């Protein structure tokens, strides 16, 4: 009993410390977002949103399952600096190859979307330059962050998050006093990512053998995961930004700014997401006991659902006060606020289920996942108006429904496979 008590006390202390820092981090991020929203015109904020959305798409395509393989393999070799270094360098090499391909595909699309929504050619090139420079840092960060996560270096993770959110706020606040537009806002984020990358590299070089050569066995295992997960990644990297894409095509430029501004309140849920990504997922990835995995899985998802319900209730109680924070340009979006937040919460919970599965390399067959999603979207098209924010949000929510059932089934099969392996070892 005393052992369980001290273990519970340890986790409560660890989580409370991490969450307290994350509250500060998310407050700084929210302040940065609100400052940009209130300062920029709807047109400028629409450009900023499109650039960030497409940068996110490139980053996801550059990963395409590499993070899943990193987590799964890293859970086995993280205590060996040489083998861990081989894994890091192998993943980095593959990520850069995929980034080149993704950039060549997505950049022309971003160029067209910006021009289509009224941006000048010079302005478009500057925005693209800003996000592509930042992408270079993201490629490193996306791989290197696995090192402090698996080593449970919570203090370093907190420092990185505070550095990122704090420096971004300072740069944006400075820009608001001089000149703040979509381009300067994008370059502020680029500078922040550069600082984050430098601090992370400093830590990794003293804990992992960064001179270790790439490993062909790791490369084959990563490529196997990537080849299996890539169809899902390609589909869902666009699915995750579907509201931005649809509203930019069927709606107005100002609608892009509105749906992105309303989505800023989803940052509240990112506190628990940060806890999960940096503390709970590494634990889940390293756990090899089926009974413990089941308990961990349901505990994590339960926390997400409770937070989602509390946030929605708060939203229903104080919509006018929340919209006031965004400024007068967005004050009349009461109904739209509910649907945008609900959509964000739905995808946050679905993302949590998917992250837990991919951390163990439990990946659904792409044909099943994509077929179910397309079927649900075809049904949704019969009922929604894609030129409105509410309609696009409902369309997105309906599209996510099959994913919940499939993610739950994949988890069941994954835990069952671990249980079968345990039984075979015992016999």
């Amino acid at each position: 009993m005393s052992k369980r008590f001290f273990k519970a006390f340890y986790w409560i202390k660890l989580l409370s410390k991490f969450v307290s820092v994350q509250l500060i981090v998310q407050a700084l991020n929210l302040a940065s977002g609100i400052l940009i929203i209130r300062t920029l015109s709807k047109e400028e904020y629409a450009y900023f949103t499109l650039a960030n959305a497409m940068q996110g798409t490139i980053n996801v395509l550059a990963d395409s399952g590499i993070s899943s393989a990193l987590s799964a393999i890293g859970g086995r070799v993280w205590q060996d600096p040489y083998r861990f270094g081989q894994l890091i360098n192998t993943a980095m090499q593959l990520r850069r190859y995929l980034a080149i391909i993704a950039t060549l595909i997505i950049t022309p699309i971003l160029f067209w979307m910006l021009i289509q929504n009224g941006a000048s050619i010079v302005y478009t090139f500057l925005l693209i330059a800003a996000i592509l420079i930042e992408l270079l840092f993201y490629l490193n960060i996306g791989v290197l962050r696995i090192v402090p996560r698996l080593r449970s270096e919570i203090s370093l993770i907190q420092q990185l998050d505070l550095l990122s959110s704090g420096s971004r706020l300072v740069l944006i606040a400075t820009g608001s006093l001089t000149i703040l537009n979509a381009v300067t806002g994008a370059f502020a984020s680029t500078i922040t990512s550069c600082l984050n990358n430098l601090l992370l590299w400093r830590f990794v070089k003293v804990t992992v053998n960064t001179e270790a050569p790439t490993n062909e066995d790791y490369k084959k295992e990563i490529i196997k995961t990537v080849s299996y997960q890539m169809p899902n990644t390609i589909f869902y990297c666009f699915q995750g930004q579907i509201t931005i894409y649809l509203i930019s095509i069927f709606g107005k430029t100002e609608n892009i700014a509105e749906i992105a501004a309303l989505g800023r309140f989803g940052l509240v849920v990112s506190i628990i997401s940060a806890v999960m990504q940096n503390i709970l997922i590494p634990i889940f990835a390293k756990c090899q006991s089926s009974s413990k995995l089941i308990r961990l899985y349901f505990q994590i998802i339960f926390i997400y659902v409770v937070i989602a319900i509390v946030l929605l209730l708060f939203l229903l109680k104080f919509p006018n006060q929340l919209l006031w924070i965004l400024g007068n340009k967005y004050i009349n979006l009461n109904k739209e606020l509910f649907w945008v937040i609900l959509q964000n919460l739905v995808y946050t919970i679905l993302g949590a289920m998917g992250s837990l599965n991919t951390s163990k390399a439990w990946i659904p067959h792409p044909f099943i996942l994509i077929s179910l999603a397309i079927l649900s979207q075809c049904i949704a098209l019969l009922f929604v108006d894609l030129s409105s924010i509410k309609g696009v949000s409902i369309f997105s929510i309906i599209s996510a429904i099959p994913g919940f059932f499939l993610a739950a089934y994949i988890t069941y099969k994954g835990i069952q496979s671990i249980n079968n392996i345990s039984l075979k070892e015992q016999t």
Side-chain angles (χ1 to χ4, degrees):
M1 183 69 179
S2 59
K3 185 178 179 181
R4 288 185 178 181
F5 172 80
F6 284 115
K7 187 176 181 180
F9 178 76
Y10 166 78
W11 283 113
I12 291 171
K13 183 179 178 181
L14 178 63
L15 290 172
S16 61
K17 180 182 178 182
F18 190 84
V19 170
S20 63
V21 174
Q22 282 303 312
L23 285 171
I24 299 173
V25 169
Q26 298 307 327
L28 293 172
N29 287 338
L30 184 60
S32 299
I34 297 302
L35 187 57
I36 287 178
I37 291 169
R38 294 181 70 98
T39 304
L40 299 186
S41 65
K42 282 188 176 182
E43 186 180 53
E44 284 283 343
Y45 191 59
Y47 301 153
F48 183 79
T49 299
L50 286 173
N52 281 330
M54 289 313 225
Q55 182 193 61
T57 299
I58 296 174
N59 199 35
V60 171
L61 289 174
D63 185 86
S64 293
I66 291 176
S67 294
S68 302
L70 260 178
S71 179
I73 302 171
R76 306 193 303 262
V77 305
W78 65 276
Q79 293 176 308
D80 185 330
Y82 181 79
R83 293 174 66 194
F84 204 8
Q86 286 185 309
L87 176 62
I88 293 297
N89 287 331
T90 303
M92 196 84 73
Q93 182 188 77
L94 293 173
R95 192 169 165 86
R96 286 168 182 162
Y97 289 154
L98 290 177
I100 293 171
I101 297 171
T103 300
L104 293 174
I105 295 171
I106 301 301
T107 302
I109 298 174
L110 173 58
F111 182 88
W112 175 81
M113 292 180 75
L114 288 169
I115 296 295
Q116 183 75 10
N117 283 280
S120 68
I121 293 179
V122 174
Y123 206 75
T124 296
F125 275 118
L126 288 172
L127 263 176
I128 290 174
I131 66 166
L132 290 183
I133 293 171
E134 185 175 20
L135 182 68
L136 295 175
F137 302 124
Y138 275 160
L139 294 178
N140 292 337
I141 293 170
V143 172
L144 297 179
R145 278 186 77 95
I146 194 68
V147 179
R149 283 176 182 169
L150 288 178
R151 292 176 61 87
S152 298
E153 296 285 350
I154 306 303
S155 296
L156 175 65
I157 294 170
Q158 291 175 331
Q159 290 175 31
L160 291 169
D161 290 340
L162 284 171
L163 172 67
S164 179
S165 55
S167 58
R168 182 180 291 109
L169 179 59
V170 170
L171 290 169
I172 290 173
T174 303
S176 66
L177 297 175
T178 54
I179 177 172
L180 181 62
N181 53 33
V183 172
T184 54
F187 272 108
S189 183
T190 300
I191 295 170
T192 294
S193 296
C194 177
L195 296 174
N196 201 309
N197 179 65
L198 290 173
L199 181 60
L200 193 52
W201 260 118
R202 183 179 298 179
F203 167 78
V204 171
K205 284 181 177 179
V206 298
T207 54
V208 174
N209 186 347
T210 56
E211 300 299 322
T214 59
N215 183 293
E216 286 300 316
D217 290 332
Y218 293 158
K219 183 181 291 186
K220 290 177 182 177
E221 191 169 348
I222 293 172
I223 291 175
K224 182 180 178 181
T225 301
V226 169
S227 63
Y228 195 75
Q229 190 168 335
M230 184 170 282
N232 293 338
T233 302
I234 293 173
F235 182 76
Y236 273 95
C237 74
F238 293 104
Q239 185 73 18
Q241 303 286 356
I242 195 167
T243 53
I244 298 298
Y245 302 146
L246 290 175
I247 208 70
S248 66
I249 295 171
F250 297 102
K252 303 175 182 177
T253 302
E254 65 179 24
N255 295 144
I256 302 172
E258 290 169 350
I259 201 168
L262 296 175
R264 282 288 177 176
F265 293 116
L267 281 174
V268 177
V269 185
S270 60
I271 296 173
I272 191 64
S273 296
V275 173
M276 181 175 137
Q277 292 290 336
N278 296 300
I279 297 179
L280 300 181
I281 277 189
I283 295 172
F284 193 84
K286 291 185 285 187
C287 181
Q288 302 300 321
S289 167
S290 59
S291 59
K292 289 182 180 179
L293 282 172
I294 294 171
R295 186 170 64 252
L296 269 174
Y297 182 86
F298 282 106
Q299 286 173 343
I300 293 169
I301 300 304
F302 176 76
I303 291 171
Y304 267 84
V305 173
V306 169
I307 291 177
I309 293 172
V310 170
L311 185 57
L312 279 177
L313 291 175
F314 181 80
L315 170 66
L316 291 172
K317 185 69 176 177
F318 304 105
N320 294 328
Q321 289 83 351
L322 291 173
L323 290 171
W324 175 84
I325 296 174
L326 298 179
N328 294 330
K329 298 188 293 289
Y330 305 93
I331 202 67
N332 296 319
L333 299 175
N334 298 61
K335 294 179 180 179
E336 290 82 358
L337 175 61
F338 171 81
W339 289 106
V340 171
I341 297 300
L342 179 60
Q343 171 206 327
N344 285 340
L345 292 174
V346 166
Y347 274 92
T348 298
I349 297 171
L350 181 58
M353 297 171 71
S355 294
L356 290 171
N357 287 340
T358 55
S359 72
K360 303 292 288 186
W362 300 339
I363 303 167
H365 194 284
F367 176 77
I368 299 174
L369 192 61
I370 294 172
S371 297
L372 288 173
I374 292 176
L375 177 62
S376 64
Q377 288 175 349
C378 290
I379 295 172
L381 285 173
L382 301 174
F383 303 101
V384 300
D385 173 17
L386 296 181
S387 65
S388 69
I389 293 176
K390 176 183 175 181
V392 168
S393 295
I394 293 174
F395 175 88
S396 188
I397 292 169
I398 294 174
S399 301
I401 293 174
F404 282 98
F405 294 101
L406 187 58
Y409 175 74
I410 294 300
T411 303
Y412 167 75
K413 295 295 288 184
I415 293 175
Q416 192 178 55
S417 66
I418 289 180
N419 192 40
N420 291 337
I421 293 172
S422 299
L423 291 173
K424 288 180 181 179
E425 290 177 348
Q426 290 175 7
T427 56

